[in-house]
Amino acid sequence: MSQFTINLLFVGASFALYFGIAIWARAGSTKEFYVAGGGVHPVMNGMATAADWMSAASFISMAGLIAAGGYANSTFLMGWTGGYVLLAMLLAPYLRKFGKFTVPDFIGDRFYSKSARLVAVACLIIASVTYVIGQMTGAGVAFSRFLEVDKDTGLIIAAVVVFFYAVLGGMKGITYTQVAQYCVLIVAYTIPAVFISLQLTDTFIPAIGLFSEHTQSGMPLLQKLDEVVRELGFRDYTADVDNKVNMVLFTLSLMIGTAGLPHVIIRFFTVPKVADARWSAGWALVFIALLYLTAPAVASMARLNLMTTIYPEGPTAESIQYDERPDWIQTWEQTGLIKYEDKNGDGRIQFYNDTPAFADEATARGWAGNELTVNRDILVLANPEIANLPGWVIGLIAAGGLAAALSTAAGLLLAISSAVSHDLIKGSINPDITEKGELLAARISMFFAIIVATYLGMNPPGFAAQVVALAFGIAAASIFPALMMGIFSKRVNSKGAVFGMLAGLGCTLVYIFTYLGWFFIPGTNTLANTPDNWLFGVSPLSFGAIGAVINFAVAFIVSSMTEDVPEEIQELVESVRYPKGAGGAVDH
């Protein structure tokens, strides 16, 4: 049986499962569409939250980032997991106590202002659209390889699949689909990692294998990896970070961005009680940890496998002939995600860090430049092929990668559609709209959101995890401060909240657009996205933490200069901060 047929069987079976669940759990009311009826069990909600959370960035791109940057990119692990602690302790139970459908619902009522609600809707849509770009990009990468189509065609297929089960089922269908997707993606991620760990270290637990002895060389695996990459002009894999301030800001931006992401927060409105919201966050962290403890090992082993494939006799010996390249390189070349250019005409693949610091060594070895370009997003997907694992493992990871991308994309699209239909149309434009009309508006808005996400996925401002990091920065600078002040401060009024969100969002977007292109349009950036151009050495990916500080400062300053918060709102804040129970979600 060909690999393509195996891939089709695995991917087709998983899609059939998702479609079946969507039809079985079709949403018949706005409450089912927005919050799955409000009766999801905490363990199931934790699993669905984990799938919602562990996106294409986690499954596909995070390991690629760590593989490329080593210790320096461990910030993704620290920031994303740390954010869940903040979410469980500071936000989830209090927002569930409030008992509404959406984040703008809370902000609009807490700050007693339609303007605050509309600004929250804008912040939510901008953050969610930015985030969904990464998911669609990741889905396109996975589809292009495993269905043997080009990347854009793969992205369109992904959009059609998401449209079917997200539009039909709403949160009810998405919740049960995400439980199935979590099971698929965690099995798909873990099994190849176990195989590869056994191959390289004789240890079946990847997280332990990472710090074990490399079987072939007898050296510690990380020491062997450091040696290989150093000989090819790359920075040591375990090297420390030079810019500690940027590292701290980036980690903080990811943490508070995690706690402010609307598609994650909305999941805590689906459980019956306040205590269940806290338990859901705890279970989600357990389920997430299963993958996140494995990711550093997968990244390290993928990097070592890639290097030893190109230089089978070691980095100081001859590289492989291009004509003798393994099948997996030929396969990925067809997708355009691996590219080869024979710059010195010797018919061999030179793969090294083509920088001025390594130029003399490269010249001495007869090299005329790096000849192999490998898209970072493919490392996890290609890992089983690099390690010559069985065809069914490759089919399994195909299904897992697609499950990761589609689960988060569905959650984000639901957050966007509920913001448009519930908060914008029903909350501001047409408060008298019928439930049937609101449900239709939600589905129509999701349709248009999918079209926009597909277009932006074809023209992303970076690879999947980078784009996702931008979304976290936007959420950190706009939504998280408003939620924190709404829950824990009686002093912040409507004007303070509005100006704070606008200031945080505006400063962050301007900083991001300056380096990554205005509205992410390629070629429109004012400055090159290089460390020497960054203001005070702060990366665009790290600016969300500074945007959050600006948000807090502006909100408190404006509130101190304007009228006091009404007494009934202060009482509302007091009641939310003591979550001793919660009623059903209220549709306003």
Side-chain angles (χ1 to χ4, degrees), residues 34-35 95 98-113 116-118 120-121 124 269 418-419 422-424 426-428 438 483 572 585-588:
Y34 295 137
V35 293
L95 292 173
F98 197 70
K100 295 298 178 67
F101 282 166
T102 65
V103 170
D105 248 355
F106 170 79
I107 291 176
D109 284 9
R110 159 58 184 90
F111 295 110
Y112 52 96
S113 167
R117 181 192 292 267
L118 291 176
V121 168
L124 182 152
F269 300 144
S418 61
H422 185 69
D423 298 303
L424 186 61
K426 184 175 178 64
S428 300
E438 186 182 351
L483 295 175
L572 175 65
V586 180
D587 181 3
H588 292 296

Side-chain angles (χ1 to χ4, degrees), residues 81-318:
T81 51
Y84 256 88
V85 178
L86 294 180
L87 188 61
M89 295 177 62
L90 300 179
L91 294 180
Y94 304 106
L95 292 173
R96 178 60 191 90
K97 166 69 175 177
F98 197 70
K100 295 298 178 67
F101 282 166
T102 65
V103 170
D105 248 355
F106 170 79
I107 291 176
D109 284 9
R110 159 58 184 90
F111 295 110
Y112 52 96
S113 167
K114 282 190 175 181
S115 298
R117 181 192 292 267
L118 291 176
V119 172
V121 168
C123 294
L124 182 152
I125 290 175
I126 292 170
S128 297
V129 167
T130 306
Y131 198 165
V132 84
I133 296 171
Q135 310 318 306
M136 301 306 284
T137 302
V141 169
F143 270 110
S144 66
R145 163 60 187 92
F146 296 115
L147 298 185
E148 298 181 10
V149 295
D150 65 78
K151 180 171 170 289
D152 288 348
T153 303
L155 203 154
I156 292 170
I157 296 171
V160 171
V161 174
V162 171
F163 173 79
F164 182 85
Y165 75 77
V167 171
L168 187 65
M171 178 60 87
K172 184 179 179 183
I174 287 171
T175 295
Y176 296 108
T177 303
Q178 284 174 338
V179 171
Q181 286 169 329
Y182 175 79
C183 296
V184 171
L185 74 88
I186 198 64
V187 170
Y189 203 88
T190 305
I191 288 179
V194 170
F195 271 107
I196 294 164
S197 182
L198 283 170
Q199 279 187 351
L200 295 180
T201 67
D202 287 335
T203 304
F204 74 93
I205 300 176
I208 297 175
L210 176 62
F211 301 100
S212 300
E213 188 177 274
H214 181 234
T215 305
Q216 188 175 355
S217 66
M219 300 167 59
L221 185 135
L222 288 174
Q223 183 181 334
K224 174 64 178 176
L225 181 53
D226 274 343
E227 180 185 88
V228 171
V229 297
R230 191 186 311 122
E231 291 286 351
L232 293 170
F234 295 99
R235 180 188 177 93
D236 276 14
Y237 192 79
T238 58
D240 200 0
V241 179
D242 295 329
N243 190 339
K244 294 288 198 305
V245 173
N246 194 67
M247 184 178 187
V248 170
L249 286 175
F250 183 56
T251 305
L252 184 59
S253 180
L254 291 179
M255 286 179 65
I256 61 179
T258 295
L261 281 175
H263 77 290
V264 174
I265 292 173
I266 199 173
R267 291 232 55 92
F268 299 106
F269 300 144
T270 66
V271 293
K273 298 179 296 185
V274 170
D276 292 338
R278 198 183 293 276
W279 275 109
S280 289
W283 278 111
L285 197 54
V286 170
F287 292 127
I288 289 168
L290 294 177
L291 188 146
Y292 273 40
L293 289 172
T294 307
V298 170
S300 306
M301 294 171 188
R303 180 78 178 273
L304 185 57
N305 269 333
L306 177 62
M307 294 299 188
T308 54
T309 297
I310 305 301
Y311 297 92
E313 303 301 323
T316 56
E318 290 282 7

